[in-house]
Amino acid sequence: MSEVDPIKQAVQHLRRLPGVGDKTATRLVYWMLRAPEGTIPELSASLLRLAEEVRQCSVCGDLTGTDPCAMCADPRRDDALVCVVEHPQDVLAFERSGEFRGRYHILHGAISPLDGIGPSDLNLRSLLERLRGGQIKEVIIATDPDVEGDATALYIGRLLAGVDVQVTRLAHGISVGTEIEYADAVSLARALQNRRPL
Amino acid sequence: MSEVDPIKQAVQHLRRLPGVGDKTATRLVYWMLRAPEGTIPELSASLLRLAEEVRQCSVCGDLTGTDPCAMCADPRRDDALVCVVEHPQDVLAFERSGEFRGRYHILHGAISPLDGIGPSDLNLRSLLERLRGGQIKEVIIATDPDVEGDATALYIGRLLAGVDVQVTRLAHGISVGTEIEYADAVSLARALQNRRPL
């Protein structure tokens, strides 16, 4: 048995999680100690599986327990369309929208000179490899609409300039459900620039 | 390898935690996958220790990795004073106050007929055993100031009526720092009833 008290140790380790302070960590630990038998071992084992089984898909770079990932292995998805995103979580957001049936490519970041992140730190080489296959007709760049995301989109646009593929960027504008009175200035400006005939 | 995707499984298990929904669970999982090596195995192992090593102290009923617990084993604490609380977390609150150097006794609940919790469901038998030792001079009842806590305090008061020990109850009143304008009516009423000479 380790020297450190198990309750204190669990609180310390839970506190490392984002948004979890001392109070929340303590609450979680005492909740778990009262939870039905099996709750703690199941949670503990499923976290360990994350560390042991999750890796990057060799095709798209998504985090997955299988290689290739379920999305890349799914024969029903459209091979001609690839949506390039910054993070694995972005894939979940697109899937929730239900609008996209193509493939994904995950960069694992965006170009940010201030943070020392350059193009070589992004998962771009395997994107070029995928494009060499010739099946892809359109690359939709869906990086975040911020400075880093825009810089990354520009970079990829130039990178793919010599490749026979259509490169598009996600439309920016005001969110559905936004009241114009409360829309942020940048989104409103983009919505004006990108206005379409009715 | 299990059939279920490790990321989905971890999200499912984290969602069981109180205050953790789908979004938070997903955020935690992707945070952990990016966290420094060792973070996940350490957290996983410390949770497992909770399930395997934490039990109730045979003296006071507190949840602990050692039996007797550190508090009961500490020779510097006052054996004459026992503070009776509902939950292990209440001990932490008293320790934070720095005002109490006696021992604790944890009931693991309060009498609540609506929830089917009676006196026999509480950790009371071991309290009577401790009192038989004769060292305890005062029992401070520190159950919550609500219906269940008050009922429990009354019950313990009657239970100990024949025992040669002083039984006290925590003072109720307005919290320090409360503006009287915003004090809740019940606390203000209690503060009036329990007023003391200046």
Side-chain angles (χ1 to χ4, degrees), chain A residues 82-87 90 94 139-145 149 153 168-170 172:
Chain A
V82 170
C83 180
V84 177
V85 297
E86 291 183 20
H87 305 290
D90 301 335
F94 274 104
V139 172
I140 304 168
I141 303 180
T143 51
D144 285 339
T168 57
R169 179 107 166 86
L170 227 52
H172 295 132

Side-chain angles (χ1 to χ4, degrees), chain B:
Chain B
M1 197 174 78
S2 159
E3 293 268 349
V4 189
D5 178 69
I7 294 180
K8 279 187 190 144
Q9 194 185 49
V11 168
Q12 276 168 16
H13 286 166
L14 283 168
R15 274 185 56 193
R16 296 179 184 168
L17 298 176
V20 177
D22 223 7
K23 277 197 177 179
T24 306
T26 305
R27 193 167 51 94
L28 290 176
V29 164
Y30 282 106
W31 180 90
M32 285 191 259
L33 288 169
R34 281 196 318 269
E37 206 178 339
T39 306
I40 294 177
E42 277 173 30
L43 176 59
S44 171
S46 72
L47 296 186
L48 210 54
R49 282 191 69 203
L50 286 181
E52 289 174 353
E53 296 179 22
V54 174
R55 76 217 73 175
Q56 285 191 17
C57 170
S58 58
V59 180
C60 72
D62 200 1
L63 296 172
T64 168
T66 57
D67 190 10
C69 70
M71 211 75 89
C72 287
D74 187 346
R76 291 163 303 175
R77 298 193 76 106
D78 187 355
D79 281 317
L81 261 177
V82 170
C83 181
V84 177
V85 298
E86 291 183 20
H87 304 291
Q89 300 95 299
D90 301 334
V91 172
L92 304 181
F94 273 103
E95 290 299 298
R96 276 196 297 272
S97 83
E99 267 297 306
F100 186 69
R101 294 297 300 163
R103 309 282 179 182
Y104 292 97
H105 195 84
I106 291 89
L107 298 174
H108 290 284
I111 295 171
S112 175
L114 282 174
D115 301 312
I117 301 170
S120 62
D121 298 309
L122 305 181
N123 181 31
L124 280 168
R125 194 177 302 173
S126 65
L127 178 62
L128 293 174
E129 269 169 37
R130 290 177 82 177
L131 287 166
R132 250 175 241 132
Q135 279 190 300
I136 301 170
K137 304 298 171 211
E138 181 177 351
V139 171
I140 305 169
I141 303 180
T143 51
D144 285 340
D146 53 20
V147 177
E148 293 80 13
D150 288 345
T152 308
L154 264 175
Y155 181 86
I156 297 174
R158 281 185 208 148
L159 190 69
L160 303 187
V163 185
D164 180 26
V165 68
Q166 196 184 0
V167 181
T168 58
R169 179 110 166 84
L170 228 51
H172 295 132
I174 52 171
S175 307
V176 176
T178 301
E179 291 185 55
I180 289 180
E181 179 180 352
Y182 301 114
D184 70 287
V186 181
S187 298
L188 205 52
R190 295 261 200 148
L192 268 172
Q193 288 156 15
N194 301 332
R195 67 190 181 276
R196 296 150 42 110
L198 200 67

Side-chain angles (χ1 to χ4, degrees), chain A residues 10 110 119 123 131 185 193:
Chain A
N123 181 31
L131 287 166
Q193 288 156 15

Side-chain angles (χ1 to χ4, degrees), chain A residues 3-197:
Chain A
E3 293 268 348
V4 189
D5 177 69
I7 295 180
K8 280 188 189 145
Q9 193 184 51
V11 168
Q12 276 168 16
H13 286 166
L14 283 167
R15 275 185 56 193
R16 296 179 184 166
L17 299 175
V20 176
D22 222 8
K23 277 198 177 177
T24 306
T26 306
R27 193 167 52 93
L28 291 176
V29 164
Y30 282 106
W31 180 90
M32 285 191 260
L33 287 169
R34 281 197 316 270
E37 206 179 339
T39 306
I40 295 177
E42 277 173 33
L43 176 58
S44 171
S46 71
L47 295 186
L48 210 55
R49 282 191 68 201
L50 286 181
E52 288 174 352
E53 296 179 22
V54 174
R55 75 216 74 173
Q56 285 192 17
C57 170
S58 59
V59 179
C60 73
D62 200 1
L63 295 173
T64 168
T66 55
D67 190 12
C69 70
M71 211 75 89
C72 287
D74 187 346
R76 290 163 303 177
R77 299 193 75 107
D78 186 354
D79 282 317
L81 260 177
V82 170
C83 180
V84 177
V85 297
E86 291 183 20
H87 305 290
Q89 300 95 299
D90 301 335
V91 172
L92 304 181
F94 274 104
E95 289 300 297
R96 276 196 297 273
S97 83
E99 267 297 305
F100 186 70
R101 293 297 301 165
R103 309 281 180 183
Y104 292 97
H105 196 84
I106 292 88
L107 298 174
H108 290 284
I111 295 171
S112 174
L114 282 175
D115 300 312
I117 301 170
S120 61
D121 299 308
L122 305 181
N123 181 31
L124 280 167
R125 194 177 301 174
S126 64
L127 178 62
L128 293 174
E129 270 168 37
R130 290 177 81 176
L131 287 166
R132 249 175 242 132
Q135 279 190 302
I136 300 170
K137 302 296 171 213
E138 180 178 352
V139 172
I140 304 168
I141 303 180
T143 51
D144 285 339
D146 53 20
V147 177
E148 292 81 13
D150 288 345
T152 308
L154 265 175
Y155 181 88
I156 296 175
R158 280 184 209 149
L159 190 71
L160 302 187
V163 184
D164 181 26
V165 68
Q166 197 185 359
V167 181
T168 57
R169 179 107 166 86
L170 227 52
H172 295 132
I174 52 171
S175 306
V176 177
T178 301
E179 291 185 56
I180 289 180
E181 180 181 353
Y182 301 113
D184 70 286
V186 181
S187 297
L188 205 52
R190 295 262 199 145
L192 269 172
Q193 288 156 15
N194 300 333
R195 67 189 180 276
R196 297 148 43 109

